[in-house]
Amino acid sequence: MPPSFDEMRINGSEVREHYRPYDRWLRSQPPELMRNRREEAELIFRRVGITFAVYGAKDEDGSGTERLIPFDLIPRVIPSHEWQDMQKGLRQRVTALNRFLHDVYHDQEILKAGLVPAEQVLNNAQYRPEMRGVNVPGGVYSHIAGVDIVRAANADGSGSYYVLEDNLRVPSGVSYMLEDRKMMMRLFPELFAMHRVAPVAHYPDLLLETLREVAPSGVVDPTVVVLTPGMYNSAYFEHAFLAQQMGVELVEGQDLFVRDEHVFMRTTQGPKRVDVIYRRVDDDFLDPEVFRKDSTLGCAGLLGVYRSGNITLANAIGTGVADDKSIYPYVPKMIEFYLGEKPILNNVPTYLCREAEDLKYVLAHLSELVVKEVHGAGGYGMLVGPAATQAEVEEFRAHLLANPSNYIAQPTLSLSTCPTFVEAGIAPRHIDLRPFVLSGTEVQMVPGGLTRVALKEGSLVVNSSQGGGTKDTWVLEA
């Protein structure tokens, strides 16, 4: 595996300029104080209830799937100029993806041009024919996007950012970004006097502003709600947190009903019309009249109201076709096709296992590659070749041969590392970054995002469901 880009140091020794004030402060801190601060953070997070449900996981006593996502005390620091470039790339990418979504549900120009194979879109499990011809406000399908970005080392020692994947359906994690910042300000207020760290606390205001902007035409004072599957969902804390922070109602499917081509929620004062639903429920469960008949998580008749233009869903039904891993390789072509621009943020080189030549290469190099299910998420359904046993490689080979179109493969990028406070002290651990991009009348975002960290030494899997933790992300103001 190639060497990793060190976010803090050059050649393992010289501290990068934007980290120098923090490094001087860190070297003056007794290890015991840092350990105490970590324990304090864990205690507060538990008290507040900031947990993540891990499906299928059991504690030693056989109960409890609620886990605290480990929080690291050492921030990831990004200089202003790097963030400005990344922000431009994110705006460009999310704009093109929204254009693509509008196109595939309308004129399908990119398919007719042969730039994206029609069968990859129209036969995709995430493509919703029910959305054909449906006009959504402003042509925005993915109002909240979480774009996963990694940095890899170049031969000259510099580092380049790459987009690893686009999350356009119901991306999660923004509550941890906000709570990590609050925790750092509580534990180390002196650091924020020493550094000009760009704020993130206004994210809920930006989110509410975005949701209100995309309300149905003619609605002057839109009513916004957050739709949750309920308290047993892995991200329920986040659903409740965002509703509370925005000052809107948190509802479940049973709280909503359709009447006269509008959606209403039940309240103690009687029915109240709803104009915008920030839904954290997957497509399949939104309307039992159209999708899964056994769903109790959505609202019967919702799609009919949606098609009539009397409700906005954020994100729109059918956005999943654009964040499917089999579509990801075509995003650079989308940017050129719709915007007439070269991509600012590059993709990771990707092998499409449905292609005979690509499959042949992947099968010959399984132990060197990362192989992922095209519909997979959360770090599940993937093989990290260099970290896998021979038995795991051979098991995955059988899956690939049985259903090659279900997989893509990529070179094993050695994700950049950041100093992390672990049991043995301060040590490098691999990280990624998930900025949250909001699309309404304009595309905007708060500086930075959620930095996820693989706490196990050498691991490249940062997902919370796989034992990863989080860090505060500092974008330094110029």
Side-chain angles (χ1 to χ4, degrees):
M1 195 183 300
S4 301
F5 180 87
D6 188 321
E7 297 284 343
M8 186 171 177
R9 298 180 183 277
I10 302 169
N11 298 325
S13 54
E14 182 187 349
V15 177
R16 299 185 191 278
E17 184 178 351
H18 59 281
Y19 258 106
R20 285 173 192 166
Y22 179 80
D23 178 63
R24 286 192 293 270
W25 175 88
L26 183 61
R27 283 189 279 113
S28 70
Q29 304 306 305
E32 191 59 36
L33 181 140
M34 295 293 281
R35 275 191 287 273
N36 290 342
R37 291 287 187 272
R38 184 171 64 181
E39 289 171 9
E40 184 181 344
E42 185 171 327
L43 185 66
I44 294 168
F45 278 149
R46 285 197 186 282
R47 192 179 300 146
V48 175
I50 304 173
T51 57
F52 181 89
V54 182
Y55 295 128
K58 297 289 182 185
D59 292 334
E60 289 180 6
D61 62 1
S63 67
T65 59
E66 291 289 313
R67 301 285 174 83
L68 194 72
I69 296 183
F71 166 68
D72 184 54
L73 300 176
I74 299 178
R76 187 244 187 98
V77 184
I78 299 173
S80 176
H81 69 275
E82 283 187 11
W83 171 249
Q84 294 304 321
D85 290 344
M86 193 188 303
Q87 186 173 237
K88 288 176 189 170
L90 289 165
R91 281 202 182 102
Q92 178 195 61
R93 190 175 183 97
V94 170
T95 299
L97 284 163
N98 269 310
R99 294 277 292 274
F100 170 74
L101 282 162
H102 177 82
D103 187 19
V104 297
Y105 289 115
H106 288 81
D107 295 333
Q108 302 184 345
E109 297 292 345
I110 201 166
L111 306 186
K112 293 170 185 172
L115 294 178
V116 179
E119 68 276 8
Q120 282 303 113
V121 174
L122 304 179
N123 297 334
N124 193 293
Q126 298 300 320
Y127 183 76
R128 304 295 179 187
E130 300 85 356
M131 287 295 292
R132 286 292 307 273
V134 177
N135 293 314
V136 299
V140 178
Y141 287 74
S142 184
H143 309 84
I144 304 100
V147 182
D148 292 346
I149 292 179
V150 298
R151 173 141 66 173
N154 298 321
D156 62 1
S158 64
S160 293
Y161 287 111
Y162 294 88
V163 173
L164 192 60
E165 62 183 55
D166 307 287
N167 299 282
L168 308 178
R169 281 171 270 185
V170 282
S172 63
V174 75
S175 59
Y176 304 107
M177 173 190 83
L178 296 169
E179 290 292 347
D180 286 356
R181 174 61 55 84
K182 282 166 63 177
M183 184 61 71
M184 286 294 286
M185 294 180 82
R186 176 175 183 154
L187 296 179
F188 307 112
E190 70 276 17
L191 282 173
F192 293 87
M194 293 166 49
H195 297 81
R196 295 187 60 187
V197 181
V200 297
H202 58 297
Y203 176 85
D205 297 330
L206 277 186
L207 175 58
L208 182 58
E209 175 188 309
T210 298
L211 295 172
R212 288 173 63 87
E213 285 173 354
V214 296
S217 177
V219 177
V220 178
D221 185 20
T223 296
V224 178
V225 300
V226 177
L227 174 62
T228 177
M231 63 183 295
Y232 296 107
N233 182 266
S234 64
Y236 180 74
F237 164 78
E238 178 159 296
H239 308 165
F241 174 88
L242 288 174
Q244 185 269 329
Q245 291 288 306
M246 289 191 289
V248 305
E249 293 294 331
L250 179 69
V251 301
E252 296 183 30
Q254 62 194 8
D255 301 319
L256 302 176
F257 66 93
V258 168
R259 187 174 70 197
D260 301 329
E261 289 199 328
H262 287 88
V263 176
F264 294 85
M265 65 173 159
R266 297 177 173 89
T267 77
T268 53
Q269 285 81 42
K272 182 175 176 60
R273 197 177 113 180
V274 175
D275 304 297
V276 181
I277 299 176
Y278 175 24
R279 52 98 172 197
R280 300 299 292 261
V281 173
D282 291 339
D283 287 356
D284 285 337
F285 302 95
L286 279 175
D287 186 345
E289 290 183 359
V290 181
F291 302 116
R292 283 188 54 157
K293 310 300 182 196
D294 60 345
S295 173
T296 59
L297 303 179
C299 172
L302 179 61
L303 183 65
V305 180
Y306 192 37
R307 292 179 68 92
S308 71
N310 291 332
I311 190 79
T312 296
L313 297 178
N315 290 341
I317 294 171
T319 53
V321 71
D323 74 9
D324 187 281
K325 292 179 179 66
S326 68
I327 299 298
Y328 160 90
Y330 301 102
V331 177
K333 290 182 179 179
M334 293 177 201
I335 292 170
E336 295 195 32
F337 184 75
Y338 296 116
L339 307 180
E341 301 168 357
K342 293 290 184 184
I344 297 169
L345 290 169
N346 290 318
N347 272 17
V348 177
T350 302
Y351 300 96
L352 300 169
C353 296
R354 69 172 185 276
E355 304 284 352
E357 284 303 308
D358 282 11
L359 177 63
K360 182 178 177 182
Y361 179 86
V362 170
L363 290 171
H365 297 83
L366 268 180
S367 61
E368 305 163 23
L369 300 169
V370 175
V371 188
K372 304 175 183 177
E373 285 184 342
V374 294
H375 306 311
Y380 297 104
M382 64 186 287
L383 174 80
V384 181
T389 64
Q390 189 60 37
E392 288 168 337
V393 169
E394 292 311 313
E395 182 184 354
F396 226 86
R397 185 187 304 278
H399 293 317
L400 262 172
L401 288 168
N403 188 6
S405 62
N406 195 43
Y407 295 93
I408 64 164
Q410 296 169 330
T412 306
L413 289 186
S414 188
L415 310 188
S416 65
T417 62
C418 186
T420 302
F421 192 74
V422 295
E423 291 303 323
I426 296 173
R429 291 292 185 267
H430 295 290
I431 59 171
D432 78 350
L433 177 68
R434 177 176 288 182
F436 295 91
V437 185
L438 301 175
S439 301
T441 54
E442 60 180 319
V443 180
Q444 52 188 339
M445 63 208 83
V446 297
L450 178 67
T451 291
R452 302 183 298 178
V453 53
L455 294 172
K456 183 179 177 183
E457 185 176 1
S459 174
L460 297 172
V461 183
V462 299
N463 304 77
S464 306
S465 54
Q466 307 291 313
T470 66
K471 289 174 170 284
D472 192 13
T473 308
W474 291 5
V475 171
L476 300 181
E477 295 182 321

